Amino acid sequence: MSTPNELVCFTNCFLPQEDGSLIEKDLWIDGRRGVILDAQKTFFMVKERPDKVIDLGGNILSPGLIDMQINGAYGFDFSVFDGDDEAYKTSLQDVAERIVETGVTSFVPTLITQERSLYPKILRLLRPFTTATSATVLGWHAEGPFIDMAKRGAHAPSFLVSAPEGIKSFEELYGAENLADSEDWLMSSGSQSGVRIITAAPEVNGVMSTVGELTKRGLVFSIGHSIATSDIATSAVQHGARLVTHLFNAMPQLHHRDPSIIGLLGASPHLYSPFSPITSKALYSGGVMSPIALTPMRFDSKTNIKSPVGSEALDEVETPPQTPMFKAHSSQGTSLKKTQSLAGFSLDSSEFMRPFYEMIVDGIHSHPNSVRLAYSAYPEGCILITDGERIMFKSFKKSGFVDLIHTAMKILDPNLRDGVHEWRDGKRFVKEGDKLYLEGTDTLAGSVVTLDKCVRNFTRFTGCTLAESIKCATYNPAKCLGIESKKGTLRPGADADLVVFDAQGVVQSTWVKGKRVWGRN
């Protein structure tokens, strides 16, 4: 009797490709090694056929979803540590094992701004790990504390810091041993370093100088909770910033003269010299724009007098709220002055690459039109996330809304029924679909959307295909993290982390390393 080879063939299925297309094709995996196979090579060279054939009935067989920013789920908040290491690790593993029901097979736990002494205690517990039945924890995402006071949202202002000593400030706070210093960090046995992504504001004192060094160490520097001008944001990308944290949230609104961070999505790779009509030294006097400086001038040769020429497009002197052009950055200072331009940087197409950007596609954090606008501008950079800790309701701090926002992702649970639920300190919250309210109010406080729901929403908001939406939650985040040969792809040799979707994008089953770990039936 021959020994089973543990080869599995998925047939009668559609496979999402890295370019966003969808093809009808079989997929072979090695259940013993947990990897995807080259079917032709296996058949012709190894002379083996799969022992098991699974007919998927015309469904979509996708790479497992990757959530790059998640603050907690199933009653556990990654940012809360009560001193019990084992309890923390058990809760983290519980999240990893249960989240596969949403199609997520890899995720990056996010730690929001903490009291300084807590970082070394929590970060050592968030190092990469996986079990036979769980999603892979890829390390951690530090959101703060090197962020701008003006866009701190629900992050505690007393814990925000600058980086006067550059990279040393980061090492002292996070712990040098927690900062990755290797390109090959993906689940290598005995991996000790845990940081994968750091969200920081490049205008905060000392932060810009760390971008290049962090990038060299294999970290993803993400621009977020920031009021960076277009020049500063572009400079950060030039230094190596690779990502924008939750686009549209905790950043300036899009303005036509200084589009700030959002404008990076439309940045031209062909800019060889800066065009900065509003940031040159001539426009400022004590930090305030001169109206004349932006106004076209007419020269009268008879009188030798210059006078302004009316211009409807440039008559607007005052800018809308939250635009960054003429605001003082923060009490912490900035690493670039407003009068500096990009003259010291080369913006030729061989060097400048637009960053990836995250979006929370729940219909709450960003309007569907905004989602479609961003995707239309730069589809290749779009990454879907769930997140949850949000800043929309900071005016309600005294009544407990900030606490509710911090707990939103802790509540993430697709099995949680709508209705009133106990919270803490005698408070209760009301869940209506993906929305959360504090009991007794009609003010929206956040959402608890799952990543598979974001994938479905994205197709409705943008009009893209389901395969294109899936790409934004698989290949794009994997590419941003530099792990696209192992995760978020169906390439031969990649991990056999898979999700079966029906035609509507509803998860039917989830596979980790070639083994089925969750299914509807």
Side-chain angles (χ1 to χ4, degrees):
M1 183 175 178
S2 61
T3 304
N5 58 24
E6 293 194 42
L7 299 186
V8 179
C9 171
F10 294 96
T11 190
N12 189 18
C13 56
F14 291 87
L15 308 181
Q17 302 299 290
E18 294 175 4
D19 63 358
S21 63
L22 197 65
I23 63 171
E24 187 174 7
K25 185 179 180 181
D26 291 353
L27 184 77
W28 289 24
I29 66 171
D30 184 335
R32 182 183 296 114
R33 293 188 295 134
V35 297
I36 296 172
L37 299 174
D38 182 322
Q40 288 187 332
K41 184 177 180 181
T42 302
F43 178 73
F44 289 109
M45 296 184 66
V46 185
K47 307 296 184 184
E48 285 192 303
R49 291 179 179 273
D51 280 340
K52 188 174 184 180
V53 177
I54 300 176
D55 188 333
L56 292 181
N59 283 328
I60 295 172
L61 181 62
S62 164
L65 306 184
I66 301 172
D67 196 343
M68 286 176 50
Q69 186 161 349
I70 174 172
N71 295 324
Y74 302 100
F76 179 58
D77 187 335
F78 301 136
S79 295
V80 176
F81 178 65
D82 62 6
D84 188 334
D85 287 13
E86 289 307 312
Y88 189 96
K89 287 190 281 188
T90 298
S91 296
L92 179 61
Q93 183 172 327
D94 180 63
V95 172
E97 291 184 342
R98 296 176 66 183
I99 202 170
V100 294
E101 68 178 315
T102 68
V104 172
T105 58
S106 297
F107 66 99
V108 184
T110 300
L111 190 66
I112 64 171
T113 297
Q114 299 291 312
E115 192 277 320
R116 192 181 193 95
S117 66
L118 284 179
Y119 280 99
K121 297 176 183 178
I122 299 180
L123 296 183
R124 59 186 171 82
L125 301 174
L126 288 176
R127 289 169 181 163
F129 85 87
T130 188
T131 71
T133 58
S134 78
T136 298
V137 174
L138 295 172
W140 53 269
H141 177 169
E143 188 179 9
F146 300 97
I147 59 177
D148 200 293
M149 182 71 73
K151 291 296 180 182
R152 66 186 184 277
H155 290 242
S158 61
F159 296 157
L160 303 188
V161 297
S162 60
E165 297 185 79
I167 192 65
K168 185 178 178 182
S169 296
F170 278 63
E171 291 177 336
E172 289 178 348
L173 187 133
Y174 297 130
E177 69 280 3
N178 289 318
L179 298 180
D181 196 9
S182 170
E183 293 181 2
D184 187 18
W185 52 261
L186 176 63
M187 286 311 300
S188 58
S189 59
S191 175
Q192 294 301 306
S193 57
V195 63
R196 301 294 164 245
I197 308 165
I198 292 179
T199 290
E203 74 275 11
V204 168
N205 181 39
V207 170
M208 185 72 82
S209 67
T210 71
V211 180
E213 176 60 27
L214 292 172
T215 302
K216 288 178 184 176
R217 297 190 186 193
L219 279 69
V220 174
F221 183 97
S222 188
I223 304 171
H225 288 275
S226 166
I227 58 169
T229 61
S230 293
D231 277 2
I232 293 174
T234 305
S235 179
V237 175
Q238 285 287 325
H239 280 79
R242 190 171 173 80
L243 180 65
V244 174
T245 297
H246 43 58
L247 187 75
F248 299 119
N249 292 279
M251 63 186 61
Q253 297 173 14
L254 183 68
H255 190 276
H256 59 288
R257 292 186 210 144
D258 187 348
S260 185
I261 301 163
I262 299 172
L264 291 172
L265 275 63
S268 170
H270 308 294
L271 284 176
Y272 289 91
S273 60
F275 173 69
S276 188
I278 59 164
T279 55
S280 66
K281 189 172 183 179
L283 301 187
Y284 295 91
S285 176
V288 179
M289 180 184 71
S290 165
I292 299 299
L294 283 179
T295 306
M297 306 299 287
R298 177 190 296 114
F299 180 74
D300 189 324
S301 58
K302 295 181 179 179
T303 62
N304 291 324
I305 295 176
K306 290 182 180 180
S307 58
V309 177
S311 172
E312 183 179 16
L314 292 174
D315 278 348
E316 178 191 329
V317 175
E318 300 207 0
T319 62
Q322 296 183 324
T323 55
M325 292 191 297
F326 312 115
K327 283 190 172 184
H329 287 310
S330 76
S331 59
Q332 298 170 359
T334 66
S335 56
L336 290 182
K337 296 180 180 178
K338 285 183 280 187
T339 56
Q340 287 180 301
S341 70
L342 298 176
F345 302 99
S346 171
L347 293 180
D348 63 76
S349 57
S350 65
E351 294 183 11
F352 185 76
M353 294 182 62
R354 289 177 288 179
F356 290 92
Y357 59 96
E358 302 172 339
M359 285 201 293
I360 311 165
V361 188
D362 57 2
I364 300 169
H365 290 96
S366 296
H367 191 280
N369 291 1
S370 299
V371 172
R372 189 169 189 266
L373 185 66
Y375 184 66
S376 298
Y378 186 32
E380 295 83 5
C382 181
I383 294 174
L384 306 184
I385 61 167
T386 55
D387 194 30
E389 175 272 320
R390 191 74 7 246
I391 66 170
M392 298 186 295
F393 308 99
K394 59 185 179 181
S395 61
F396 294 93
K397 286 180 180 177
K398 292 183 180 179
S399 59
F401 277 91
V402 167
D403 286 337
L404 181 60
I405 295 166
H406 275 298
T407 311
M409 282 308 296
K410 174 181 176 179
I411 299 168
L412 187 154
D413 182 348
N415 304 305
L416 191 66
R417 295 180 179 179
D418 285 358
V420 180
H421 298 271
E422 296 296 329
W423 183 33
R424 67 182 185 190
D425 299 329
K427 299 184 182 72
R428 300 197 298 178
F429 67 88
V430 180
K431 179 180 180 291
E432 291 184 8
D434 296 328
K435 300 177 182 179
L436 290 180
Y437 302 86
L438 195 62
E439 187 184 28
T441 77
D442 59 359
T443 304
L444 183 67
S447 75
V448 286
V449 70
T450 56
L451 194 55
D452 59 318
K453 179 72 175 291
C454 288
V455 168
R456 295 192 294 274
N457 287 343
F458 195 69
T459 61
R460 295 191 300 113
F461 292 1
T462 65
C464 72
T465 66
L466 184 55
E468 290 169 332
S469 182
I470 288 171
K471 177 184 175 182
C472 296
T474 55
Y475 182 70
N476 285 357
K479 188 174 182 181
C480 178
L481 291 169
I483 57 174
E484 70 273 22
S485 64
K486 289 293 184 181
K487 302 284 187 183
T489 181
L490 299 179
R491 298 178 188 178
D495 293 338
D497 295 345
L498 307 167
V499 180
V500 178
F501 290 104
D502 66 15
Q504 288 70 47
V506 177
V507 176
Q508 302 300 305
S509 63
T510 306
W511 300 66
V512 171
K513 293 294 184 70
K515 305 295 184 185
R516 179 172 166 164
V517 295
W518 184 85
R520 291 196 176 274
N521 46 49

